[in-house]
Amino acid sequence: MTVTAPLPEQQEPTLQPTGHQGDQRRQSRALSIFEGNILRQATIDSVRKLDPRIQLRNPVMFVVLVGAVVTTIEFVRSLIPGSGLGADRFFIAAVSVWLWFTVLFANFAEAMAEGRGKAQADSLRRTRTEAQAKKLLPNGEIQIVSATELRRDDMVLVEAGDLIPGDGDVVEGVASVNEAAITGESAPVIKEPGTDIRSSVTGGTTIVSDYLKIRITANPGETFIDRMIALVEGANRQKTPNEIALNILLASLTIIFLLAVYTLQPFAVYSGSAVAVTTLVALLVCLIPTTIGGLLSAIGIAGMDRLVQFNVLAMSGRAVEAAGDVDTLLLDKTGTITFGNRLAFEFVPVGGHSERELTEAALRSSLADETPEGKSIVALAEQKGVQVDGVALRGAELVAFTAETRMSGIKLNGDSTMKGAVDAIQRISPNAPAELGEAADRIAREGGTPLAVAHNGEALGVIYLKDTVKPGIQERFGELRRMGIRTVMVTGDNRLTAATIAREAGVDDFVAESKPEDKIGLIRAEQAEGKLVAMTGDGTNDAPALAQADVGMAMNSGTQAAKEAGNMVDLDNNPTKLIEVVAIGKQLLITRGALTTFSIANDVAKYFAILPAMFSTQFPQLNALNVMRLSTPHSAVLSAVIFNALIIVALIPLALRGVKYRPVGAAAVLRRNLLIYGLGGIVLPFIGIKAVDVVLTVLHLTA
Amino acid sequence: MPSWLIGNAIAQWALYSVLLLLSARPVGGYMYRIFTGQRTLFHPVLRPVEVGIYRLTRVDEAEEMRWYTYLLAILAFSIVGLLITYGVERTQQWHGGFFNPQGLPNVTPVLAWNTAVSFTTNTNWQNYTGEATMSYLTQMFGLATHNWMSAATGIVAAVALVRGLARRTASGVGSFWVDVVRCTLYLLLPILFVFTLFLVWQGVPQDFSAYTVAHTLEGTTQTIAQVPVATQEAIKILGTNGGGIMNANSAHPFENPTPLSNFFEMLSIFLLGSGLVYMFGKWVGNTKQGWALWAAMFILFSVGFFTAAGFEQNGNHLIASQAHVQTLATSNQPGGNMEGKEVRFGIVDSAMWATITTDASCGAINAWHDSFMPLAGLVPLTNMATGEVIFGGVGAGLYGMLMYAILAVFIAGLMVGRTPEYLGKKVESFEIKMASIALLISPANILFFAALAIVGTWGTAAIFNPGPHGLSEVLYAFTSMNANNGSAFAGLGTGTPTLQPAFNFYNVTGGIAMLIGRFLFLTPLLAIGGSMARKKTVPANLGTFPTDGPTFSILLVAVIVIVAALTYFPAYSLGPIIEQFLLNAGKTF
């Protein structure tokens, strides 16, 4: 696979993700629509797919294939002197060739989509390792085996620089692991046993420091990535429920048109104007919904593909469709709506100290603090106009945070300025006023975190650390509301805090003081009302809810249980992406509907092209219906057939990219798309068929 | 065309439309009360009757049938009715002077089959001359009862489907027996009582005496049939049956004596169909859902009427070119194409009636559609080919339209980015499978039998007119029978004994076509009702495909035109369409 330029603008949903890490990589995994290698392979595949057994899966295109065979036989007959078809030989040959092209074009569309899927799969596959693994035998010895020989529950040892040989859980050791191969995020993450999120490792990632003992949780070929590859490649692609329903409709329309065309011949014979077989086949192929029939599977594969480009892996096409249908989004507060890091919000002085005094002390104590909290204190202090005199601090001794002292700070010339947990500060400042405890309690009640500050054993006040809503999240929830999706924030915080955050973020509803187990009840309640629910999760205790949800997106960093339970996995571990996933699901459905509408609307023009031509000998008066003024009857029929074939190719990019989705509400989307694909579908073929006719006439191919 | 004529057409259309619009709410609201078992004005009188019927027939009023039980009840009810009618027809000569004063002989087996099917299916295709073939008893007991029964059957089938759409997570769609009783007692009986009196007031006869023999000025004699017309005329119109007592149907002065009777008969044809659409909206909890369908129906009706009236008024230029024939409209006469029309009604009333009677599955006629200008004749043909969903046959119009609504939702609904929903219920494979089957039935039925008729003398021998017009006649016959319309493009000797080969092709195949068009079409739609009843209802939100506004009405019209009407375009191009072009070129048939 060649990695090429960024996506064309349309390829991304118009919903722009806010500040997540996937952007960079999403582009690197993106493919241009017509990529050299894929094109070549797809061309070969489109011929291979002529196999009638493959064609039978698609009734619409199968009818075209049969039509192509019939017209080819007609052409062979026309070569036989005395068949009476000699004069039409060129016409029959031309129609026949274009019918073959119609089938090939549809095959090509599918092969293109599959090819792009394969390319995606290849990039995933590279993360799969064929490396050696250090298998730990029960007796403690280490045996070097190939990673592919590892089975579920085998224990392996990985050390700095090794590739992790398979999906597993950490049972021993603490190490930093580079997961860039999966997530694209190069900063290493810490893995250690006993925690939900950090104990799960993925095959193909690299251990950077220290060592880990891992229990393998998947057999080769069954790992997460393996299953994803199979899905993306479309190897065991199942038709989704909506595709099945659409196929039924397309098949029945095909039968109706088959009947209409088949019974036309008796009527024509009665009218003294029998129609040539080639023309009847041409009429049939033009009327049946070949455009959508030819592009349907490509649309489905491309939908999955778009998710992968977005670094989300869906377990099935069904999950992608369900995403488009989602009515309610269940969002964890922490990490999704807020950063999860508590940032300085306010300085609350106590015991008669001024705010400035407190601010200066807080600033001093945080100068060496590299944590987000420490940085935010510095930022807030500077915002309040408090500066640090760098010279005065020369020679200061930094006191680092330890689990024992639970405070950190700075010592200079015998003066000490400390900040830390309220009770820890209370311990070093025995004279702290009761006010300190009260302020801390108030902050805690509101869901914030209080940090006390003391100078030389005298408590100055409290720093109010608060969870912060991600910027731009409010606009995104606004978009969701316009899409008709209700957002519900779930948090363990008390009602007061939850209400504050909910108001700031602009969610429609929130559930406070919720335990992870409450989620499943919430989902069931929504589902009982007939709604579809989406949620994200990463912990083992999220697993039941992920399984219950219609769309459950697990984080790749999550536990194996969570990943198994969900029907999507986000490789970037960014829960906010659920919103884009919904947009991608909608885009897939819109594309399918738009091309169906377009395909059916196209029929109007084709009637006007073919019917007057059909009976032109017996009833030249019917030429009044030849509103496109097509030059000759043969040219009219041929132009319609050619247009019908070319429109499939012309729409491949649209099928692969998807129709643009704007979150403006269904009524507006419908009006717009009906205008473009409905009305456009009626008008465009009139122009297109005429254009083909003009070209044929100019080239003297009208026979 | 002089402006006063355009004015006449527009004024009639406008008056008609306004009254139809005004009637929809009271009639539909009343139907909703009836079928949800609420109290009505007539309860003090009719409720004891209703309860008495249940007790007598051991019907459990609270029973909830699953869709297939409901369907089986419909079939059983219809088949029994069919057999009884067949029996009455085949034995009428022995019924005695009171029931058969004219001493008419037994009806032949094939004709009796055709007629029994025809009346059972609400088609009322008549391959006979009523007053010369059917005795009083056959008319009143064998045929007129079917006018009631088949109308009630159609209505309750639609009610069952609507119930299915409106209910959530329910297994049943109501009780057929209860619905039929309520429909007959509370709906048909009171309206017909008033309507019959109105017709009698307008001069429609209601007597049992033998036919009167009159001596004409020419010195010949003429037999004037008098039958109890008013009761039958009322249900024939209101129940969209269409089978006239007189051969001349509603062109006959005994069936349709005055302009006023003509207007109210036209109104009655749409009355229940239009009310049912309102009832649907009310039942699903959003009357706008009903009005969206109503609007689509109204658009199609209006386009049809103005097309037919326009071509009729334009007349035949070949006749106009003959100096001694006056075809221009003057203050004394309407001009246009008056062939095959009752002069009392003229162009506008005839074109309007033809449009209405084929929009609905009525089939009563007040002019010969065969004599319409080719493209004016295409209007009734196309109306029927859509499956008569333009207000439609009582009940059948609504369930047919709901089929299109589901298809439209499915085709275009995806474009809002959700899997399709109608009325908050997901439209899934099963519904699409059923709707597809329903959609397939009409073209298969019509095109198969028409093609079969056209390839052999068994069919072509009955064609009186050569060329495209003959083809139109055959297409019209099977379209009418499939749609259970019953109007005929005369000119096809479907029942004339002289044209019968070994067996009468049209009587036999027509019977099959009518049964398919009625019951095979109804089956998948009831199945949809049953399946929809079981589903949950998703509350509508901003992301929901809106099916209660003008966009949906227009979409629905487009789907009906493209999916249904265009299927027949190839065949029509060899029939009415080419006929019009040939006429323009001076060639007639």
Side-chain angles (χ1 to χ4, degrees), chain A residues 355-418:
Chain A
E355 185 187 344
R356 189 173 175 87
E357 220 178 323
L358 170 64
T359 309
E360 278 173 354
L363 177 59
R364 266 201 311 280
S365 71
S366 304
L367 278 176
D369 189 343
E370 285 299 312
T371 63
E373 287 90 344
K375 285 181 185 166
S376 78
I377 293 170
V378 174
L380 184 67
E382 285 176 353
Q383 203 185 316
K384 291 190 178 292
V386 177
Q387 295 294 325
V388 193
D389 185 357
V391 182
L393 291 176
R394 193 168 297 154
E397 180 198 344
L398 300 177
V399 183
F401 180 89
T402 67
E404 280 161 61
T405 60
R406 290 196 297 136
M407 54 185 167
S408 63
I410 189 165
K411 280 185 180 159
L412 180 65
N413 307 328
D415 283 353
S416 83
T417 311
M418 304 300 289

Side-chain angles (χ1 to χ4, degrees), chain B residues 403-433:
Chain B
M403 171 195 79
Y404 284 117
I406 286 169
L407 287 173
V409 159
F410 191 80
I411 291 170
L414 283 169
M415 283 197 294
V416 303
R418 285 172 72 90
T419 57
E421 293 158 333
Y422 188 51
L423 309 168
K425 296 183 170 199
K426 291 233 175 285
V427 177
E428 293 165 302
S429 315
F430 181 78
E431 288 77 37
I432 288 304
K433 206 179 282 170

Side-chain angles (χ1 to χ4, degrees), chain A residues 240-455:
Chain A
T240 64
N242 179 258
E243 269 181 300
I244 293 171
L246 188 53
N247 257 314
I248 293 170
L249 180 72
L250 296 181
S252 80
L253 286 177
T254 305
I255 297 172
I256 289 175
F257 286 121
L258 197 60
L259 267 165
V261 172
Y262 188 76
T263 55
L264 185 59
Q265 188 71 316
F267 299 143
V269 170
Y270 164 85
S271 310
S273 173
V275 186
V277 171
T278 306
T279 310
L280 278 179
V281 172
L283 176 64
L284 175 64
V285 170
C286 286
L287 293 184
I288 62 176
T290 47
T291 313
I292 181 65
L295 294 173
L296 188 56
S297 63
I299 294 169
I301 298 168
M304 292 281 276
D305 192 51
R306 271 197 298 282
L307 266 190
V308 176
Q309 286 172 15
F310 211 65
N311 260 353
V312 175
L313 301 179
M315 298 284 192
S316 66
R318 194 182 191 131
V320 187
E321 267 177 22
D325 277 357
V326 160
D327 299 286
T328 307
L329 275 189
L330 229 54
L331 298 165
D332 275 323
K333 186 200 80 177
T334 309
T336 310
I337 294 171
T338 65
F339 284 110
N341 298 325
R342 299 177 170 236
L343 305 182
F345 171 68
E346 194 186 347
F347 294 111
V348 187
V350 296
H353 295 282
S354 70
E355 185 187 344
R356 189 173 175 87
E357 220 178 323
L358 170 64
T359 309
E360 278 173 354
L363 177 59
R364 266 201 311 280
S365 71
S366 304
L367 278 176
D369 189 343
E370 285 299 312
T371 63
E373 287 90 344
K375 285 181 185 166
S376 78
I377 293 170
V378 174
L380 184 67
E382 285 176 353
Q383 203 185 316
K384 291 190 178 292
V386 177
Q387 295 294 325
V388 193
D389 185 357
V391 182
L393 291 176
R394 193 168 297 154
E397 180 198 344
L398 300 177
V399 183
F401 180 89
T402 67
E404 280 161 61
T405 60
R406 290 196 297 136
M407 54 185 167
S408 63
I410 189 165
K411 280 185 180 159
L412 180 65
N413 307 328
D415 283 353
S416 83
T417 311
M418 304 300 289
K419 75 167 195 294
V422 177
D423 54 342
I425 294 293
Q426 273 167 336
R427 216 171 36 245
I428 59 161
S429 48
N431 302 326
E435 213 186 323
L436 180 73
E438 285 159 18
D441 287 347
R442 176 183 65 88
I443 291 167
R445 257 198 322 276
E446 287 174 18
T449 305
L451 274 185
V453 180
H455 182 66

Side-chain angles (χ1 to χ4, degrees), chain B residues 364-545:
Chain B
I365 50 166
N366 74 354
W368 291 134
H369 298 174
D370 194 34
S371 302
F372 275 27
M373 301 305 295
L375 289 188
L378 183 63
V379 170
L381 189 55
T382 311
N383 285 344
M384 293 188 296
T386 62
E388 295 178 338
V389 292
I390 310 165
F391 299 103
V394 287
L398 179 60
Y399 61 68
M401 190 48 121
L402 287 171
M403 171 195 79
Y404 284 117
I406 286 169
L407 287 173
V409 159
F410 191 80
I411 291 170
L414 283 169
M415 283 197 294
V416 303
R418 285 172 72 90
T419 57
E421 293 158 333
Y422 188 51
L423 309 168
K425 296 183 170 199
K426 291 233 175 285
V427 177
E428 293 165 302
S429 315
F430 181 78
E431 288 77 37
I432 288 304
K433 206 179 282 170
M434 290 301 127
S436 293
I437 291 173
L439 183 68
L440 252 172
I441 285 169
S442 293
N445 203 11
I446 295 170
L447 292 172
F448 173 77
F449 282 116
L452 189 64
I454 214 78
V455 294
T457 48
W458 51 77
T460 50
I463 298 174
F464 293 154
N465 304 81
H469 197 75
L471 181 63
S472 302
E473 288 165 358
V474 173
L475 282 169
Y476 194 103
F478 284 104
T479 307
S480 171
M481 287 190 276
N482 168 70
N484 301 132
N485 184 279
S487 73
F489 221 40
L492 187 67
T494 53
T496 319
T498 50
L499 284 166
Q500 284 177 17
F503 72 101
N504 187 320
F505 174 81
Y506 289 97
N507 274 349
V508 174
T509 54
I512 300 169
M514 287 186 277
L515 283 178
I516 291 175
R518 178 71 163 186
F519 297 109
L520 226 52
F521 184 67
L522 185 151
T523 302
L525 293 166
L526 270 181
I528 290 177
S531 144
M532 286 298 221
R534 282 194 292 275
K535 295 188 186 214
K536 289 174 189 162
T537 307
V538 191
N541 61 40
L542 273 177
T544 314
F545 180 94

Side-chain angles (χ1 to χ4, degrees), chain A residues 661-675:
Chain A
Y661 173 68
R662 288 183 178 79
V664 289
V669 171
L670 178 68
R671 266 196 301 277
R672 183 190 147 82
N673 286 340
L674 268 181
L675 219 58

